[in-house]
Amino acid sequence: MSVEARILSEISEEHYSSGEDISRKLNISRSAVWKHIVKLRQQGYEIEAAPRHGYRLVRRPDKLLPVEIIPQLKTEKVGGRLVYLEETGSTADEARELIGRGTLEGTVVIAEKQLSGRGRMGRQWLTPPGEAIAISVVLYSGIAPTQAPLLSLSTAVAAARAVSAVTGIEPQLKWPNDIYYGGRKLGGVLVEMSAELDRIKWIIDSIGLNVNNRFSGTPLEGKATSIYEATGARVSRTSLLVALLQELDRVWSQAVSGGGLEPYRVEFERLDMLQGKTVSVKTTDGAISGTAAGINTDGRLLLRGSDDNITELFSGEASIVAQM
Ligand code: BTN
């Protein structure tokens, strides 16, 4: 744990902690304590310093700071390195640059705001400052390229599990990896990778989640939603991010332990909002319609045609066809 994280665990909102006590417990000088307090203030912590009383935490910033996240993480791989950015173009681009510099597997890039966030199919992804979760996780080893679609389904399941655990609401999933609530988009997953025929060199597993965003009155009203809009309450983004990293770590260890991702596929089917619906899927070969009939063991969408034949789709953009 960093010295700043340890200082934060020593000071509280309820009472003052003397500089002398902190310096003794952390085995650092009182002037070193003060220097770290200044650094914490620079990160947005409001800390009162009262002569003869000591320090008191007045307010924590609503930011996804590593100093808050690290002490709560109990992961094996994911989050071994956290790269925190107030603002960036896209966390996925940052992750790619870090891979070029040989960053550790499990590195997570976190941004408060993205200027050119992107989604699947070349879409734009909005990340206004301080309202959402936008992360990219770097993975190198363990899975065959054929498992990549399952990894992205599993990432969506991990996000749904984290949302349920922290907020009590149960999102639905839309193949291949969208997170929905009440028919509106709550989040999405973007998996990018570099692979040879039988070996993945790297994967960037990215997630965008709308947490405290407000869409009502914006052009996205009716299409997008957030946890705040779904529950009426603001949620701690830190708690949600910790739960998400914990779940992603489980996916990762399940994938590399040879245990396979089948349990995630099964859970995806349970949360599948397309199941049994008439859907139209835009693919690179044109649009295809049918009744959604689940996901096969490779992560492909099964579509039952009017002739009862099943088509397996590897990728595409699915939408439910309104029934007259
Ligand atoms: C989609 O639904 O199309 C996927 C959205 C993925 C958005 C995330 S936010 C973090 C990461 N950085 C990006 O630019 N995109 C992904």
Side-chain angles (χ1 to χ4, degrees), residues 154-199:
S154 307
T155 301
V157 170
R161 281 187 184 174
V163 168
S164 295
V166 173
T167 69
I169 63 170
E170 183 155 87
Q172 284 196 298
L173 300 176
K174 180 161 90 68
W175 181 88
N177 44 24
D178 285 343
I179 302 141
Y180 269 73
Y181 187 79
R184 293 164 195 191
K185 187 150 164 166
L186 188 64
V189 172
L190 179 71
V191 173
E192 295 164 308
M193 65 174 186
S194 164
E196 286 162 2
L197 269 181
D198 57 348
R199 188 181 74 96

Side-chain angles (χ1 to χ4, degrees), residues 31-43:
S31 72
V33 172
W34 171 244
K35 274 190 204 141
H36 288 293
I37 294 280
V38 170
K39 277 201 193 150
L40 285 165
R41 282 178 172 169
Q42 283 163 354
Q43 291 177 68

Side-chain angles (χ1 to χ4, degrees), residues 89-92 114 116-120 123 125 127 133-136 178 185 187-190 206-208:
S90 155
T91 55
Q114 294 187 115
S116 42
R118 56 173 195 274
R120 289 178 59 243
R123 279 181 310 236
W125 185 263
T127 312
I133 288 178
I135 60 163
S136 295
D178 285 343
K185 187 150 164 166
V189 172
L190 179 71
S206 297
I207 300 154

Side-chain angles (χ1 to χ4, degrees), residues 15-251:
H15 57 82
Y16 289 95
S17 310
S18 79
E20 199 179 325
D21 278 353
I22 301 172
S23 94
R24 195 169 12 84
K25 283 194 186 149
L26 271 62
N27 203 16
I28 56 174
S29 69
R30 286 178 68 173
S31 72
V33 172
W34 171 244
K35 274 190 204 141
H36 288 293
I37 294 280
V38 170
K39 277 201 193 150
L40 285 165
R41 282 178 172 169
Q42 283 163 354
Q43 291 177 68
Y45 287 88
E46 231 176 90
I47 300 168
E48 197 186 322
R52 287 189 302 279
H53 287 89
Y55 301 107
R56 192 174 70 87
L57 181 61
V58 178
R59 208 167 46 86
R60 292 173 189 270
D62 179 15
K63 289 183 177 177
L64 297 169
L65 295 170
V67 74
E68 292 282 333
I69 295 162
I70 291 165
Q72 300 182 54
L73 269 191
K74 289 176 193 66
T75 51
E76 208 180 304
K77 258 286 157 38
V78 172
R81 178 178 179 203
L82 298 181
V83 177
Y84 172 80
L85 304 161
E86 286 275 359
E87 184 179 301
T88 184
S90 155
T91 55
D93 293 341
E94 290 285 347
R96 198 173 288 212
E97 260 191 65
L98 290 171
I99 289 169
R101 284 188 259 138
T103 196
L104 192 75
E105 176 161 56
T107 296
V108 180
V109 183
I110 306 164
E112 295 288 351
K113 175 182 176 186
Q114 294 187 115
L115 298 168
S116 42
R118 56 173 195 274
R120 289 178 59 243
M121 316 291 234
R123 279 181 310 236
Q124 196 189 12
W125 185 263
L126 295 176
T127 312
E131 294 179 357
I133 288 178
I135 60 163
S136 295
V137 184
V138 173
L139 301 170
Y140 293 121
S141 58
I143 70 166
T146 48
Q147 275 210 305
L150 282 178
L151 181 78
S152 77
L153 295 183
S154 307
T155 301
V157 170
R161 281 187 184 174
V163 168
S164 295
V166 173
T167 69
I169 63 170
E170 183 155 87
Q172 284 196 298
L173 300 176
K174 180 161 90 68
W175 181 88
N177 44 24
D178 285 343
I179 302 141
Y180 269 73
Y181 187 79
R184 293 164 195 191
K185 187 150 164 166
L186 188 64
V189 172
L190 179 71
V191 173
E192 295 164 308
M193 65 174 186
S194 164
E196 286 162 2
L197 269 181
D198 57 348
R199 188 181 74 96
I200 288 182
K201 289 203 274 186
W202 53 255
I203 295 179
I204 300 173
D205 195 8
S206 297
I207 300 154
L209 264 183
N210 302 325
V211 185
N212 293 320
N213 315 47
R214 292 164 198 228
F215 293 104
S216 87
T218 76
L220 288 175
E221 179 168 2
K223 290 190 187 134
T225 191
S226 67
I227 289 167
Y228 170 76
E229 289 187 333
T231 62
R234 284 180 66 85
V235 173
S236 154
R237 289 183 306 138
T238 306
S239 308
L240 188 53
L241 179 54
V242 168
L244 179 59
L245 297 180
Q246 224 54 71
E247 289 295 344
L248 288 175
D249 196 61
R250 271 186 210 127
V251 171

